[in-house]
Amino acid sequence: MKNTFILGIEGTAWNLSAAIVTETEIIAEVTETYKPEVGGIHPREAAQHHAKYAASVIKRLLAEAKEKGVEPSDLDGIAFSQGPGLGPCLRTIATAARMLSLSLDIPLIGVNHCIAHIEIGIWRTPARDPVVLYVSGANSQVISFMEGRYRVFGETLDIGLGNALDKFARRAGLPHPGGPKIEACAKDAKRYIPLPYVIKGMDLSFSGLSTASSEALKKASLEDVCYSYQETAFAMVVEVAERALAHTGKNEVLLAGGVGANTRLREMLNEMCEARGAKFYVPEKRFMGDNGTMIAYTGLLMYKSGNTLTLEDSRVNPNFRTDDVNVTWIKEEEMKKVPEISPEAFLRAPPGERLDNGAEAVIYLDEGPEGKKVLVKERVPKLYRHKEIDERIRRERNRTEARLISEARRAGVPTPIIYDIEEFKLKMQFIEGVPIKYLITPELSEKVGELVGRLHSSGIVHGDLTTSNLLLAGERLYLIDFGLAYFDKSLEARGVDVHVLFQTFESTHRGHETLVKAFEKGYGSTFIDSKDVLKRVEEIKKRARYA
Ligand SMILES: C[C@@H](O)[C@H](NC(=O)OP(=O)(O)OC[C@H]1O[C@@H](n2cnc3c(N)ncnc32)[C@H](O)[C@@H]1O)C(=O)O
Ligand SMILES: Nc1ncnc2c1ncn2[C@@H]1O[C@H](COP(=O)(O)OP(=O)(O)OP(=O)(O)O)[C@@H](O)[C@H]1O
Ligand SMILES: [Fe+2]
């Protein structure tokens, strides 16, 4: 069988890079990097850079390919980064791609840049069906494949981790790109400085951390702040990856994106995976940041599954989302089936046996007074994160959970009764129920809406609304896991709460639109400000991350 040859062009931001690949081989790759003289990336300057070098990069690429016996006439398609990325940069490389496609009379292939970061990792490592932690300049997402799409389980609510690092570095007087410089500085640190740690369900936020870090520079050494920034930010993304593992039941983690070059981040992910018995994969360093090979290779997968573009459809999309892409090249039946835990298994567990390996805690049953079953939730140490962060988080969340689980019950939301509180351990009523992720229906979703409406009316935000954290026992729906809950009556906090839930609907449940509609109905029936919050949810969803 003849090999397929695809030429791919990357140029979404700072790196102009083109490559030619086959199914099994990288024929050639040529790169020209834009380096801003001052400050960060200027979109128009970067685009001018790409325009200036596009022709010479392609010429050099074709010359290198020729040396290996590959002629332009051997090419089967031209792939390019169609988005997401900086508009002016995207348009420049799309023009180059169109010209090549027209002159060689071969199809155009529009590649989603984020998915290319994933596919190159799957190509270059033994990972097959991983949870992907994609952390780059503009993006920070936790992604996994399900039913024809790469689903986003969680993502940054403000800026990407790389951009956050770069911005902080600039304020600290370090040159662009800041990520590697922060990593180097952190090595000489003497101590950890406490910084804000913010996650919402599987979503992340880096703005509070960045502001606090810049403030901290006034009182502490650059080395100490860099170190503390890394320890905090990386603990957040690793925790979110662990939550996605727990939620999906998958057992591989793949690291992708430019920030993935960081040694400390790799070490932490590796430790997390080891502790859970999951496999950790990361491709060679040259494939972590933006590169032409990942575009060519993803283009090849798309080409072979008939996924090419007409000229009219080749317009770039600066906000192209990972979950917008119909993944034509993965056959569902070839994916490893995630073992489904039977709903009954939750009810049959004997005392002492571990019920669940949640992301945060181990859960087991114990004998309570009068032979009653009592559930113990023990927040065990996470060795991947700094001891100070680890203890602070576990202590705070344990305390928060005990307090707010009871507050919520007073507001009319069924929750387990707390029997006993230790520093890192709670004993509570065992709800003989099943997480609704196994049985969600529109009727149930409406009930969830009613319950969340009551919670929000009382001023409480849950902070981790997923279908794993709602249990159905008989007719009754219980809300559990209040470790991330807090009091907040703002539209934003409530909006993010609902957004997190909708994201679980979309990433893990079929027919999510119906579930959303049903939720909205229930939510409106118990919460007077529901309309405003739902409007905010729309806004949060649409928030452009490439401004
Ligand atoms: C849309 C596209 O243009 C964008 N690309 C991008 O952000 O470039 P990428 O090569 O994946 O990542 C660059 C980021 O990766 C960070 N970075 C590189 N080496 C690092 C290191 N050792 N430690 C921490 N961050 C590092 C840089 O500081 C920079 O913020 C993206 O993938 O979001
Ligand atoms: N009171 C309870 N009664 C019955 N089952 C429970 C109870 N509390 C927890 N569980 C079971 O244990 C699982 C994990 O609990 P929980 O969500 O509190 O832990 P976690 O470590 O915070 O999980 P994660 O962070 O992954 O959401 C729940 O999904 C549920 O199946
Ligand atoms: Fe990238």
Side-chain angles (χ1 to χ4, degrees):
M1 205 175 68
K2 178 196 169 293
N3 270 337
T4 308
F5 291 91
I6 302 292
L7 186 156
I9 313 175
E10 158 60 25
T12 53
W14 55 279
N15 217 15
L16 172 66
S17 177
I20 297 174
V21 304
T22 69
E23 285 86 347
T24 51
E25 203 188 341
I26 300 166
I27 305 290
E29 184 183 69
V30 174
T31 297
E32 273 294 342
T33 305
Y34 155 74
K35 294 185 196 76
E37 271 164 35
V38 283
I41 298 173
H42 309 278
R44 243 172 306 117
E45 256 181 34
Q48 277 159 11
H49 165 273
H50 296 353
K52 182 170 161 201
Y53 289 103
S56 71
V57 162
I58 301 291
K59 214 186 262 165
R60 276 160 56 203
L61 179 72
L62 292 175
E64 278 187 28
K66 200 182 177 83
E67 274 174 30
K68 295 203 176 161
V70 178
E71 299 292 334
S73 58
D74 292 323
L75 293 175
D76 294 289
I78 305 294
F80 68 104
S81 269
Q82 201 174 6
L86 303 168
C89 296
L90 290 172
R91 286 191 288 278
T92 305
I93 55 154
T95 306
R98 284 186 203 109
M99 275 161 53
L100 274 171
S101 149
L102 280 174
S103 65
L104 295 169
D105 193 24
I106 49 176
L108 262 184
I109 309 153
V111 174
N112 177 295
H113 175 96
C114 309
I115 287 185
H117 274 291
I118 302 172
E119 289 299 348
I120 187 94
I122 293 180
W123 189 32
R124 308 297 295 184
T125 72
R128 279 300 150 260
D129 184 14
V131 163
V132 183
L133 178 64
Y134 166 40
V135 275
S136 61
N139 289 284
S140 299
Q141 297 184 325
V142 178
I143 306 158
S144 202
F145 182 81
M146 210 195 80
E147 295 182 1
R149 270 172 212 267
Y150 280 108
R151 315 270 167 177
V152 177
F153 284 80
E155 62 190 309
T156 178
L157 296 166
D158 38 56
I159 59 176
L161 178 52
N163 286 351
L165 285 163
D166 295 344
K167 253 193 190 164
F168 163 70
R170 226 173 298 137
R171 269 183 257 141
L174 298 169
H176 187 85
K181 276 113 204 151
I182 292 175
E183 176 171 23
C185 261
K187 295 211 167 77
D188 299 319
K190 299 211 167 50
R191 63 187 180 113
Y192 171 79
I193 300 152
L195 292 170
Y197 182 105
V198 183
I199 69 170
K200 321 237 163 180
M202 286 184 249
D203 286 339
L204 299 148
S205 157
F206 298 111
S207 62
L209 170 61
S210 299
T211 314
S213 303
S214 303
E215 275 301 303
L217 280 173
K218 293 178 190 155
K219 303 183 291 264
S221 77
L222 178 62
E223 289 77 12
D224 289 348
V225 182
C226 286
Y227 170 71
S228 309
Y229 193 113
Q230 283 202 153
E231 289 302 311
T232 311
F234 296 166
M236 285 160 52
V237 297
V238 175
E239 176 171 6
V240 167
E242 182 164 22
R243 283 168 172 268
L245 279 177
H247 190 78
T248 57
K250 297 194 181 190
N251 59 6
E252 301 173 333
V253 171
L254 174 70
L255 179 59
V259 183
N262 191 288
T263 312
R264 176 62 183 138
L265 175 59
R266 292 170 178 219
E267 186 181 279
M268 285 165 83
L269 276 166
N270 197 35
E271 275 185 47
M272 182 275 281
C273 287
E274 247 175 40
R276 285 195 80 79
K279 291 228 160 61
F280 174 53
Y281 296 112
V282 33
E284 302 111 284
K285 223 171 197 161
R286 61 178 277 220
F287 299 122
M288 299 302 291
D290 295 345
N291 63 88
T293 300
M294 70 183 195
I295 304 302
Y297 180 69
T298 309
L300 184 137
L301 296 173
M302 294 175 71
Y303 172 82
K304 293 188 77 165
S305 58
N307 199 340
T308 60
L309 286 176
T310 59
L311 212 53
E312 298 76 61
D313 290 333
S314 68
R315 187 149 3 125
V316 302
N317 179 0
N319 294 310
F320 201 2
R321 283 187 56 87
T322 310
D323 43 14
D324 282 340
V325 176
N326 178 14
V327 180
T328 46
W329 58 95
I330 297 180
K331 291 201 187 67
E332 205 77 42
E333 55 281 10
E334 284 170 16
M335 300 303 274
K336 194 179 98 346
K337 277 274 167 287
V338 175
E340 285 249 332
I341 309 161
S342 81
E344 295 75 33
F346 282 91
L347 306 178
R348 271 193 266 104
E353 183 173 310
R354 190 187 278 197
L355 253 187
D356 191 271
N357 198 2
E360 279 198 70
V362 291
I363 309 276
Y364 51 91
L365 289 182
D366 213 345
E367 199 86 43
E370 294 156 35
K372 256 204 192 147
K373 278 185 188 168
V374 168
L375 182 133
V376 185
K377 175 170 181 174
E378 184 175 353
R379 291 188 152 84
V380 289
K382 297 286 173 185
L383 297 177
Y384 67 79
R385 60 192 173 204
H386 191 281
K387 196 156 180 277
E388 244 179 79
I389 301 182
D390 186 61
E391 288 192 357
R392 182 178 93 211
I393 289 175
R394 289 189 294 127
R395 189 175 298 118
E396 275 175 17
R397 289 184 184 169
N398 204 61
R399 206 184 294 149
T400 300
E401 174 149 31
R403 193 160 65 94
L404 292 197
I405 225 170
S406 310
E407 287 283 348
R409 191 160 354 88
R410 275 195 280 281
V413 176
T415 60
I417 296 164
I418 301 286
Y419 298 133
D420 191 32
I421 309 167
E422 289 175 34
E423 193 176 15
F424 300 117
K425 204 195 269 185
L426 295 175
K427 286 192 181 162
M428 65 179 98
Q429 179 188 2
F430 175 54
I431 310 295
E432 302 221 8
V434 176
I436 64 164
K437 70 172 164 185
Y438 299 111
L439 24 88
I440 184 85
T441 58
E443 293 73 43
L444 256 179
S445 183
E446 186 177 337
K447 277 195 177 176
V448 174
E450 289 167 16
L451 207 136
V452 176
R454 251 178 262 137
L455 190 75
H456 285 181
S457 300
S458 76
I460 301 175
V461 165
H462 183 271
D464 190 13
L465 279 180
T466 67
T467 46
S468 302
N469 287 335
L470 284 142
L471 304 181
L472 185 69
E475 291 283 289
R476 197 143 192 213
L477 198 54
Y478 286 83
L479 189 52
I480 61 167
D481 198 2
F482 279 71
L484 297 178
Y486 54 103
F487 281 104
D488 196 328
K489 290 189 174 168
S490 69
L491 277 183
E492 179 67 15
R494 289 165 166 170
V496 169
D497 221 19
V498 174
H499 171 74
V500 168
L501 180 71
F502 286 1
Q503 233 171 354
T504 357
F505 283 172
E506 191 168 341
S507 57
T508 27
H509 300 292
R510 235 165 274 168
H512 73 271
E513 279 110 351
T514 336
L515 297 178
V516 164
K517 282 259 138 42
F519 173 92
E520 291 177 351
K521 188 169 166 217
Y523 190 50
S525 73
T526 53
F527 180 39
I528 192 160
D529 293 327
S530 71
K531 286 241 159 58
D532 294 336
V533 175
L534 292 171
K535 221 188 304 151
R536 178 61 68 100
V537 175
E538 279 305 303
E539 260 175 64
I540 293 169
K541 213 166 93 184
K542 283 199 206 107
R543 244 168 235 174
R545 304 210 163 78
Y546 300 91

